[in-house]
Amino acid sequence: MAETQYYEGLGRRKTATARVRLYPGGDGTILVNNKTAADYFGREWDLKHLSEPLILTNNVAHFNVSVHVTGGGITGQAGAIRM
């Protein structure tokens, strides 16, 4: 059985901790704690903030992103994901 390959990173902001996995060959889907990013984050600014690294590197449509984030507030969690 072949394992799915991904890139993993850990980001922290204040008391929030995010474990982020990037799956190559995706369509740009971002899941945060098993919810879509739009459902998890209510403010448009937080959505834009967490997706900036993919936008700046022109990789939005090349990866699917899966995130497990804990601690802190919503804005701190968005900052931890961005890291």
Side-chain angles (χ1 to χ4, degrees), residues 3 29 35 82:
E3 293 184 26
T29 302
K35 297 180 183 179
R82 183 178 184 212

Side-chain angles (χ1 to χ4, degrees), residues 6-59:
Y6 56 84
Y7 303 100
E8 186 172 62
L10 181 72
R12 292 190 175 106
R13 168 90 170 106
K14 294 187 174 182
T15 60
T17 302
R19 183 170 307 275
V20 179
R21 290 183 177 178
L22 298 173
Y23 294 91
D27 59 359
T29 302
I30 300 175
L31 294 176
V32 180
N33 292 346
N34 296 322
K35 297 180 183 179
T36 63
D39 288 340
Y40 191 82
F41 294 102
R43 296 185 332 170
E44 185 68 30
W45 188 88
D46 290 332
L47 289 170
K48 182 179 177 186
H49 190 67
L50 69 91
S51 61
E52 278 181 345
L54 292 173
I55 293 169
L56 290 173
T57 59
N58 294 324
N59 284 312

Side-chain angles (χ1 to χ4, degrees), residues 59-82:
N59 284 312
V60 174
H62 298 120
F63 291 96
N64 283 344
V65 182
S66 175
V67 180
H68 178 73
V69 65
T70 59
I74 294 296
T75 302
Q77 288 181 351
I81 294 169
R82 183 178 184 212

